[in-house]
């Protein structure tokens, strides 16, 4: 007769609590489920934070390496998130913090613009000599002048060198200071004559006893920009050269403006050379007019003298009939009617009275002063080349380029002559030529594959997180969560037992084979561990039966 207690009742694992079911899972499955939970939580947090990335705004751009390093160090010290744009040309910070960060950096004197100013005088060390103080003052003045010059839109960077001789009262003739300015201009930008003069006067006005003639301004190519007007090396005047260039450019633009609508944009080239006379001349001419003829003359002065003579007129000359004739009346030296001597309205002079009359008339004179204007065009020479024109083919596509017809070339030649103001007497020359333009050689770069194109790579970087996150979640679910749940579904039934069962009965219930019992109880490892535990208990019962009896007695006396 079998005295073993009846088997404990079996409880289905599906009716157990979640914690109890989790406790019945193997240790490996529980570790896998915990790791999967952590990974899924991290993926959800990453997706949430990456989807809400802050908007970045430019803090500073085009900083020098020194200023950029100082700004980055200050941002790291202030715990402000930042990043760089492509190529490191700009520093980006979150949009809500742009203005606050700029003000905080400005309070620290950043960015300094690559130069130091009078802030050098604020950190004077104890024991500084007079020479060091003067040197720091000179460095600060050079830095302040460089910052002022870099405020110009065309200037990228500037360096100022001052030569300040030491002033002493023991020398009669003091050496005057001088200055040199080195400019680095942006690509494609130039400084006008007035801007260069402004830089010169800025430096000269900032240094005591510094004359404007002692300031030299150079650009990054070594060209001297501060050459005084009228003192060019070839003896020409800068305004005159500028006037000639402007005249030639205006005439060339006028030719292009009238021909491009006919032959198309980019199909015509024009160059005009102007020979301008800048000679200034002045001439004075004094012209005397001829006698007025019958026109009345202006009397300048008139003198009349009368003297009494003898009563009997003396007879002189060769005796004869002719000498006894009375004297003929005198006439005016100027062409006109004869006028009798004597007072106006008086008749002939009485006998024995001598009268003399002298009349001076004004002489006609014209004084002409002629001043010739400077900048007169003495001769114009124009060269125009016209490209072959491609007539429109069927479908709106351009056809094959063909030479311009002769009749149209004659019209173009006439238009060019009228546009530049052609003057044959002046010796002007115009040449219009039709020739095909040679296209510049263009190196064809090999086409990049689709997966290497910047647009494709940018699109891939944008959508990669949204594709990688679901794939990672699927890997975690099917690699960790699903095996753990499958193990939970196949867990062994729970027994409410307070007695030590026979390992054979525990492992193989009635009517069930050993293989089915192992499947019902869980894995083979669990069954073997349980059998080993039961065998240990049997050994203890054989060695110390009294202790085992006390334990069984305690179990029996405990209330149910």
């Amino acid at each position: 007769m079998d005295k073993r207690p009846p088997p404990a009742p079996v409880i289905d694992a599906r009716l157990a609590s979640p914690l109890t079911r989790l406790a019945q899972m193997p240790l490996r499955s529980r570790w896998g489920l915990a790791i999967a939970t952590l990974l899924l939580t991290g993926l959800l947090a990453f997706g949430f934070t990456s989807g809400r990335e802050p908007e970045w705004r430019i803090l500073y751009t085009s900083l020098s390496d020194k200023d950029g390093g100082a700004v980055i160090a200050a941002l790291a010290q202030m715990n402000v998130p930042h990043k760089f744009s492509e190529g490191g040309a700009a520093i980006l910070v979150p949009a809500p913090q742009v203005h606050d960060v700029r003000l905080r950096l400005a309070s620290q004197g950043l960015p300094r613009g690559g130069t130091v100013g009078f802030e050098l005088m604020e950190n004077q060390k104890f024991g500084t000599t007079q020479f060091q103080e003067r040197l720091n003052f000179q460095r600060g003045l050079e830095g302040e002048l460089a910052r002022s010059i870099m405020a110009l839109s065309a200037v990228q960077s500037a360096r100022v060198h001052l030569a300040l001789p030491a002033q002493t009262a023991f020398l009669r003739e003091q050496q005057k200071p001088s200055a040199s300015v080195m400019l680095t201009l942006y690509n494609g930008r130039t400084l006008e004559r007035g801007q260069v003069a402004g830089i010169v006067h800025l430096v000269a006005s900032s240094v005591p006893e510094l004359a404007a003639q002692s300031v030299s301004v150079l650009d990054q190519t070594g060209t001297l920009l501060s050459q005084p007007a009228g003192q060019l090396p070839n003896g020409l005047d800068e305004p005159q050269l500028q006037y000639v260039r402007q005249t030639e450019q205006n005439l060339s633009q006028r030719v292009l403006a009238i021909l491009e609508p006919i032959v198309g944009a980019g199909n015509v080239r024009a160059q005009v050379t102007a020979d301008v006379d800048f000679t200034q001349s002045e001439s004075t001419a004094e012209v005397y007019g001829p006698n007025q003829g019958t026109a009345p003359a202006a009397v300048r002065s008139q003198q009349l003298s009368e003297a009494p003579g003898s009563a009997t007129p003396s007879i002189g000359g060769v005796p004869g009939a002719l000498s006894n004739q009375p004297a003929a009346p005198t006439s005016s030296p100027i062409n006109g009617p004869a006028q009798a001597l004597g007072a106006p309205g008086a008749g002939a002079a009485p006998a024995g009275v001598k009268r003399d009359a002298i009349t001076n008339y004004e002489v006609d004179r014209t004084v002409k002063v002629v001043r010739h204007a400077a900048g007169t065009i003495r001769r114009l020479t124009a060269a125009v080349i016209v490209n072959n024109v491609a007539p429109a083919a069927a479908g709106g596509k351009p056809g094959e380029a063909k030479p311009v017809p002769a009749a149209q070339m004659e019209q173009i030649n006439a238009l060019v002559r009228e546009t530049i103001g052609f003057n044959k007497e002046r010796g002007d020359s115009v040449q219009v030529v039709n020739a095909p333009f040679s296209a510049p050689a263009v190196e064809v770069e090999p086409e990049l594959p689709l997966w290497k194109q910047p647009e494709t790579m940018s699109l891939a970087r944008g959508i990669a997180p949204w594709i990688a996150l679901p794939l990672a979640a699927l890997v975690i679910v099917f690699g960790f969560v699903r095996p753990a749940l499958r193990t939970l579904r196949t867990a062994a039934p729970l027994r409410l037992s307070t007695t030590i069962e026979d390992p054979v009965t525990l492992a193989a219930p009635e009517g069930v084979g050993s293989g089915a019992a192992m499947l019902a109880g869980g894995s083979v490892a669990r069954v073997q561990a349980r059998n080993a535990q039961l065998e240990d208990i049997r050994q203890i019962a054989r060695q110390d039966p009294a202790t085992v009896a006390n334990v069984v007695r305690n179990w029996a006396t405990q209330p149910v």
Side-chain angles (χ1 to χ4, degrees), residues 281-298:
S281 61
E282 180 178 349
S283 61
T284 303
E286 187 173 350
V287 181
Y288 291 89
N291 293 333
Q292 289 84 358
T294 59

mmCIF file of all heavy atoms in Angstrom, residues 281-298:
data_model
loop_
_atom_site.group_PDB
_atom_site.id
_atom_site.type_symbol
_atom_site.label_atom_id
_atom_site.label_comp_id
_atom_site.label_asym_id
_atom_site.label_seq_id
_atom_site.Cartn_x
_atom_site.Cartn_y
_atom_site.Cartn_z
ATOM 1 N N SER A 281 44.278 125.996 -73.518
ATOM 2 C CA SER A 281 44.884 127.116 -74.252
ATOM 3 C C SER A 281 43.973 128.326 -74.186
ATOM 4 O O SER A 281 42.758 128.202 -74.077
ATOM 5 C CB SER A 281 45.136 126.727 -75.710
ATOM 6 O OG SER A 281 43.902 126.396 -76.354
ATOM 7 N N GLU A 282 44.581 129.488 -74.242
ATOM 8 C CA GLU A 282 43.861 130.761 -74.216
ATOM 9 C C GLU A 282 44.538 131.702 -75.213
ATOM 10 O O GLU A 282 45.768 131.864 -75.200
ATOM 11 C CB GLU A 282 43.895 131.357 -72.808
ATOM 12 C CG GLU A 282 43.173 132.676 -72.688
ATOM 13 C CD GLU A 282 43.196 133.201 -71.278
ATOM 14 O OE1 GLU A 282 43.592 132.448 -70.369
ATOM 15 O OE2 GLU A 282 42.819 134.379 -71.075
ATOM 16 N N SER A 283 43.764 132.351 -76.097
ATOM 17 C CA SER A 283 44.292 133.255 -77.115
ATOM 18 C C SER A 283 43.561 134.592 -77.044
ATOM 19 O O SER A 283 42.353 134.635 -76.796
ATOM 20 C CB SER A 283 44.136 132.645 -78.510
ATOM 21 O OG SER A 283 42.767 132.416 -78.801
ATOM 22 N N THR A 284 44.319 135.668 -77.268
ATOM 23 C CA THR A 284 43.772 137.044 -77.271
ATOM 24 C C THR A 284 44.090 137.690 -78.611
ATOM 25 O O THR A 284 45.250 137.657 -79.058
ATOM 26 C CB THR A 284 44.388 137.865 -76.135
ATOM 27 O OG1 THR A 284 44.140 137.186 -74.895
ATOM 28 C CG2 THR A 284 43.773 139.256 -76.085
ATOM 29 N N ALA A 285 43.083 138.307 -79.284
ATOM 30 C CA ALA A 285 43.246 138.944 -80.599
ATOM 31 C C ALA A 285 42.714 140.366 -80.535
ATOM 32 O O ALA A 285 41.645 140.617 -79.966
ATOM 33 C CB ALA A 285 42.524 138.139 -81.667
ATOM 34 N N GLU A 286 43.463 141.311 -81.097
ATOM 35 C CA GLU A 286 43.058 142.716 -81.191
ATOM 36 C C GLU A 286 42.934 143.074 -82.675
ATOM 37 O O GLU A 286 43.923 143.102 -83.413
ATOM 38 C CB GLU A 286 44.086 143.621 -80.509
ATOM 39 C CG GLU A 286 43.645 145.058 -80.419
ATOM 40 C CD GLU A 286 44.606 145.905 -79.602
ATOM 41 O OE1 GLU A 286 45.498 145.314 -78.955
ATOM 42 O OE2 GLU A 286 44.450 147.122 -79.594
ATOM 43 N N VAL A 287 41.735 143.354 -83.137
ATOM 44 C CA VAL A 287 41.434 143.559 -84.558
ATOM 45 C C VAL A 287 41.027 145.011 -84.772
ATOM 46 O O VAL A 287 40.174 145.544 -84.038
ATOM 47 C CB VAL A 287 40.309 142.597 -85.024
ATOM 48 C CG1 VAL A 287 40.010 142.796 -86.494
ATOM 49 C CG2 VAL A 287 40.704 141.145 -84.742
ATOM 50 N N TYR A 288 41.636 145.644 -85.771
ATOM 51 C CA TYR A 288 41.279 147.012 -86.143
ATOM 52 C C TYR A 288 40.416 146.961 -87.394
ATOM 53 O O TYR A 288 40.786 146.333 -88.399
ATOM 54 C CB TYR A 288 42.542 147.852 -86.430
ATOM 55 C CG TYR A 288 43.366 148.130 -85.190
ATOM 56 C CD1 TYR A 288 44.360 147.258 -84.774
ATOM 57 C CD2 TYR A 288 43.117 149.263 -84.426
ATOM 58 C CE1 TYR A 288 45.097 147.498 -83.638
ATOM 59 C CE2 TYR A 288 43.850 149.513 -83.280
ATOM 60 C CZ TYR A 288 44.840 148.625 -82.895
ATOM 61 O OH TYR A 288 45.564 148.866 -81.762
ATOM 62 N N GLY A 289 39.283 147.679 -87.342
ATOM 63 C CA GLY A 289 38.382 147.700 -88.472
ATOM 64 C C GLY A 289 38.828 148.696 -89.542
ATOM 65 O O GLY A 289 39.537 149.655 -89.262
ATOM 66 N N PRO A 290 38.424 148.525 -90.768
ATOM 67 C CA PRO A 290 38.776 149.467 -91.845
ATOM 68 C C PRO A 290 38.016 150.793 -91.705
ATOM 69 O O PRO A 290 37.168 150.963 -90.832
ATOM 70 C CB PRO A 290 38.382 148.711 -93.103
ATOM 71 C CG PRO A 290 37.274 147.815 -92.647
ATOM 72 C CD PRO A 290 37.591 147.429 -91.229
ATOM 73 N N ASN A 291 38.322 151.768 -92.610
ATOM 74 C CA ASN A 291 37.591 153.045 -92.611
ATOM 75 C C ASN A 291 36.122 152.813 -92.848
ATOM 76 O O ASN A 291 35.720 151.910 -93.597
ATOM 77 C CB ASN A 291 38.158 153.980 -93.679
ATOM 78 C CG ASN A 291 39.578 154.415 -93.335
ATOM 79 O OD1 ASN A 291 39.947 154.449 -92.175
ATOM 80 N ND2 ASN A 291 40.358 154.751 -94.358
ATOM 81 N N GLN A 292 35.307 153.646 -92.203
ATOM 82 C CA GLN A 292 33.865 153.423 -92.227
ATOM 83 C C GLN A 292 33.236 153.773 -93.576
ATOM 84 O O GLN A 292 32.059 153.518 -93.778
ATOM 85 C CB GLN A 292 33.178 154.242 -91.119
ATOM 86 C CG GLN A 292 33.433 153.729 -89.723
ATOM 87 C CD GLN A 292 34.748 154.250 -89.175
ATOM 88 O OE1 GLN A 292 35.482 154.980 -89.870
ATOM 89 N NE2 GLN A 292 35.064 153.887 -87.958
ATOM 90 N N GLY A 293 33.957 154.402 -94.476
ATOM 91 C CA GLY A 293 33.345 154.782 -95.745
ATOM 92 C C GLY A 293 32.416 155.957 -95.564
ATOM 93 O O GLY A 293 32.779 157.014 -95.034
ATOM 94 N N THR A 294 31.206 155.783 -95.955
ATOM 95 C CA THR A 294 30.209 156.854 -95.829
ATOM 96 C C THR A 294 29.585 156.921 -94.458
ATOM 97 O O THR A 294 28.803 157.819 -94.159
ATOM 98 C CB THR A 294 29.119 156.657 -96.878
ATOM 99 O OG1 THR A 294 28.510 155.380 -96.678
ATOM 100 C CG2 THR A 294 29.701 156.727 -98.299
ATOM 101 N N ALA A 295 29.907 155.977 -93.585
ATOM 102 C CA ALA A 295 29.312 155.981 -92.248
ATOM 103 C C ALA A 295 29.919 157.099 -91.425
ATOM 104 O O ALA A 295 31.101 157.426 -91.581
ATOM 105 C CB ALA A 295 29.547 154.633 -91.562
ATOM 106 N N PRO A 296 29.156 157.762 -90.576
ATOM 107 C CA PRO A 296 29.697 158.840 -89.751
ATOM 108 C C PRO A 296 30.723 158.304 -88.783
ATOM 109 O O PRO A 296 30.590 157.197 -88.248
ATOM 110 C CB PRO A 296 28.470 159.397 -89.035
ATOM 111 C CG PRO A 296 27.497 158.277 -89.028
ATOM 112 C CD PRO A 296 27.726 157.513 -90.311
ATOM 113 N N ALA A 297 31.761 159.084 -88.564
ATOM 114 C CA ALA A 297 32.834 158.694 -87.666
ATOM 115 C C ALA A 297 32.673 159.415 -86.339
ATOM 116 O O ALA A 297 32.172 160.549 -86.280
ATOM 117 C CB ALA A 297 34.194 159.001 -88.270
ATOM 118 N N ALA A 298 33.127 158.754 -85.272
ATOM 119 C CA ALA A 298 33.066 159.363 -83.942
ATOM 120 C C ALA A 298 34.273 160.258 -83.757
ATOM 121 O O ALA A 298 35.421 159.828 -83.952
ATOM 122 C CB ALA A 298 33.014 158.278 -82.881
#
